[in-house]
Amino acid sequence: DGGITQSPKYLFRKEGQNVTLSCEQNLNHDAMYWYRQDPGQGLRLIYYSQIVNDFQKGDIAEGYSVSREKKESFPLTVTSAQKNPTAFYLCASRKDLYEQFFGPGTRLTVL
Amino acid sequence: AQSVAQPEDQVKVAEGNPLTVKCTYSVSGNPYLFWYVQYPNRGLQFLLKYITGDNLVKGSYGFEAEFNKSQTSFHLKKPSALVSDSALYFCAVRDNIGTYKYIFGTGTRLKVLA
């Protein structure tokens, strides 16, 4: 099965902790994206990567970090600097120039 | 700056009736427009896109969308709604300045009543 997987499905973070969300794709897509979804706010772009070893900040990058060492993988770290991290996080990859394909999401909750 | 607006937070329609979910956009140059659907606690699923060509675009699950350049709109439509169409719908526009960023609307919750 080709697709995008995200893990874990649910994640709990204590204050001051860094946590890493996994995103893997076997679609052979070059571009990958991380979004944050909050109720009533739609999707907001955190980081995106057009190609391996390169990534750019999106609209709300503060408190987050990423790496893109492999084409298949684009992990997102939520650092302790992100003061309000409770949200639903979505990873996506892009086919050619057009539509994106989304993973199932990770719901992060701060305890 | 490019933007997308979905003016309705919620749309209710009876099963079997036609449905419309509205989207307007603001972009310089030619727009690349998309509709996605999201079921609870799931990722987004691609429905359809407009890149160029015919103004009426057909997509998955019987959905279609009409591109109207003069009104800068890209409304999602379906001739006969199903209860299973109840979900959250997002309109998106991709930038055309080379960054390949996507701007999403705030979403419209569709509720189809049996």
Side-chain angles (χ1 to χ4, degrees):
Chain A
D1 260 349
I4 302 177
T5 57
Q6 291 185 242
S7 62
K9 188 174 175 67
Y10 299 96
L11 186 58
F12 299 91
R13 192 193 94 167
K14 294 181 180 178
E15 296 280 352
Q17 257 186 348
N18 292 355
V19 291
T20 297
L21 284 60
S22 170
C23 177
E24 303 277 333
Q25 55 102 356
N26 61 5
L27 299 168
N28 201 34
H29 291 172
D30 285 317
M32 297 185 75
Y33 300 75
W34 273 107
Y35 293 92
R36 170 179 172 143
Q37 185 178 13
D38 296 280
Q41 294 197 44
L43 275 67
R44 292 184 290 168
L45 181 63
I46 305 173
Y47 269 97
Y48 63 110
S49 168
Q50 306 277 28
I51 198 167
V52 174
N53 292 322
D54 186 48
F55 50 83
Q56 289 79 39
K57 292 182 179 180
D59 301 317
I60 57 164
E62 185 175 350
Y64 300 97
S65 66
V66 293
S67 63
R68 187 83 190 277
E69 298 175 0
K70 298 187 298 181
K71 188 175 186 177
E72 302 79 18
S73 178
F74 191 41
L76 173 75
T77 296
V78 184
T79 75
S80 56
Q82 171 50 241
K83 297 306 178 189
N84 185 23
T86 294
F88 191 52
Y89 290 86
L90 288 162
C91 178
S93 66
R94 174 169 52 81
K95 172 185 177 181
D96 300 325
L97 302 176
Y98 303 126
E99 65 265 31
Q100 295 177 305
F101 291 80
F102 284 82
T106 292
R107 187 166 296 281
L108 174 62
T109 303
V110 174
L111 300 174
Chain B
Q2 298 177 120
S3 65
V4 171
Q6 293 182 244
E8 302 157 316
D9 290 336
Q10 183 170 274
V11 169
K12 289 183 181 179
V13 64
E15 188 175 30
N17 282 3
L19 69 87
T20 298
V21 182
K22 295 179 180 177
C23 173
T24 59
Y25 65 90
S26 173
V27 62
S28 54
N30 295 322
Y32 299 139
L33 297 159
F34 306 85
W35 275 102
Y36 291 87
V37 61
Q38 184 181 36
Y39 295 97
N41 295 311
R42 305 289 291 275
L44 276 66
Q45 295 177 34
F46 169 73
L47 282 177
L48 50 80
K49 64 179 181 277
Y50 173 83
I51 305 300
T52 187
D54 290 340
N55 291 340
L56 186 64
V57 178
K58 293 192 181 297
S60 305
Y61 313 119
F63 284 94
E64 57 190 28
E66 186 170 9
F67 171 67
N68 188 316
K69 189 172 184 178
S70 62
Q71 297 186 7
T72 62
S73 67
F74 189 55
H75 299 334
L76 181 70
K77 300 182 179 186
K78 188 174 183 183
S80 179
L82 299 172
V83 172
S84 57
D85 293 330
S86 299
L88 187 58
Y89 289 81
F90 288 98
C91 181
V93 62
R94 200 208 81 189
D95 81 63
N96 51 16
I97 56 172
T99 65
Y100 297 99
K101 292 169 64 174
Y102 295 75
I103 297 96
F104 285 81
T106 52
T108 298
R109 189 164 299 282
L110 173 67
K111 190 166 185 179
V112 180
L113 306 170

